[in-house]
Amino acid sequence: SHFKKAYAISEGEFFPHSNGTIAGLKIPDTMQEYIQEKLVAMSNREWKYTYHDCYYDQLLPGEFSKKTLVEVSTSNTTPLAHIIPAIGIFFSKILSPVFVNGAPSTALMLYFARFFSLLAYLFIGYLAIKITPSFKKSMFTILLIPMSIFLGSMVSYDSLLISVSLLSIAMILNLIYNKKTKFDNKAFIVFTIIGYLLLNIKVIYAPLLALLIFVPNEKFK
């Protein structure tokens, strides 16, 4: 569902469509078939994914002209939640002539989406470690937990949530302990974006911003 949402955004489809019966996203039939094939394999312990399958899944050009409106659980999620993997899919379309003679396959788009998610996870995590005046090793450890890295490389919004949560904590700690740092217009914009993301993606993360009450009054204009 996350991958479908990212694909729809890469096609300029930021919000769900409705045909009067269902509301959802327009997904290519070939992509649906690929996803269903892999979903069936998940419940089959005897199924093996060979190098031959991997090779042709990636390098055979895709055919996405025929699309069907399907219900997707992430249809109404804010587009910002999946914008990073969507950018990855967009670049896969631009670079597909380098890899395949035609449109990128579903598998190739998926790999690009995951790669860009991981890049964003690493970059935002790096900023958090660089900004925070304390707990650098703790943040470094959290970012390197195997489950964190796994989620950081997924197409889901968990990649963004983990890294952005650490970035918000880092910025608040910087406001508390760094005497030169002020809560200026730039900080206001960044916290507004972070607050919007946390409230609209997973509201349970939003209370992290309550740490702002520990910022000294003189830090605010």
Side-chain angles (χ1 to χ4, degrees):
S1 62
H2 293 288
F3 176 63
K4 290 175 184 177
K5 178 70 173 183
Y7 171 79
I9 293 172
S10 74
E11 290 283 296
E13 186 181 341
F14 294 94
F15 302 99
H17 296 275
S18 176
N19 62 1
T21 306
I22 64 169
L25 304 173
K26 293 178 181 177
I27 304 299
D29 291 351
T30 52
M31 182 179 288
Q32 281 282 88
E33 292 169 6
Y34 174 88
I35 292 172
Q36 285 304 122
E37 177 188 311
K38 297 299 181 287
L39 287 176
V40 171
M42 286 171 61
S43 60
N44 184 355
R45 296 181 181 178
E46 300 300 320
W47 185 81
K48 304 294 181 184
Y49 190 58
T50 65
Y51 177 74
H52 179 273
D53 296 329
C54 178
Y55 182 83
Y56 284 103
D57 274 350
Q58 292 178 68
L59 298 182
L60 285 178
E63 172 54 51
F64 303 119
S65 57
K66 188 178 180 182
K67 297 182 179 180
T68 303
L69 186 68
V70 296
E71 290 184 275
V72 180
S73 61
T74 53
S75 293
N76 291 310
T77 307
T78 174
L80 283 178
H82 296 92
I83 195 68
I84 294 171
I87 292 171
I89 294 173
F90 178 77
F91 271 93
S92 74
K93 297 172 185 177
I94 295 176
L95 298 174
S96 62
V98 178
F99 302 99
V100 296
N101 186 22
S105 65
T106 299
L108 191 64
M109 287 191 283
L110 180 59
Y111 281 126
F112 266 81
R114 292 188 63 175
F115 180 62
F116 271 68
S117 292
L118 183 60
L119 283 180
Y121 172 82
L122 293 173
F123 178 70
I124 298 173
Y126 160 76
L127 289 179
I129 294 171
K130 183 179 180 181
I131 290 171
T132 185
S134 54
F135 303 110
K136 290 181 182 288
K137 291 181 180 179
S138 299
M139 290 189 179
F140 182 68
T141 303
I142 291 169
L143 289 164
L144 284 183
I145 293 173
M147 180 58 77
S148 297
I149 296 176
F150 171 72
L151 290 172
S153 69
M154 299 302 290
V155 184
S156 72
Y157 43 58
D158 291 301
S159 169
L160 191 62
L161 282 174
I162 295 169
S163 54
V164 164
S165 296
L166 285 177
L167 179 62
S168 62
I169 293 171
M171 291 179 64
I172 293 170
L173 289 172
N174 193 38
L175 283 167
I176 294 172
Y177 294 111
N178 192 335
K179 294 180 179 179
K180 295 181 180 179
T181 306
K182 298 288 184 182
F183 194 94
D184 53 14
N185 291 333
K186 181 180 177 182
F188 177 78
I189 292 170
V190 173
F191 276 112
T192 300
I193 294 171
I194 291 174
Y196 175 83
L197 286 171
L198 299 184
L199 284 168
N200 283 276
I201 299 175
K202 278 191 178 178
V203 70
I204 193 67
Y205 282 77
L208 285 172
L209 296 181
L211 292 171
L212 281 166
I213 64 174
F214 296 105
V215 177
N217 290 335
E218 60 269 18
K219 293 298 184 78
F220 297 92
K221 289 188 176 180

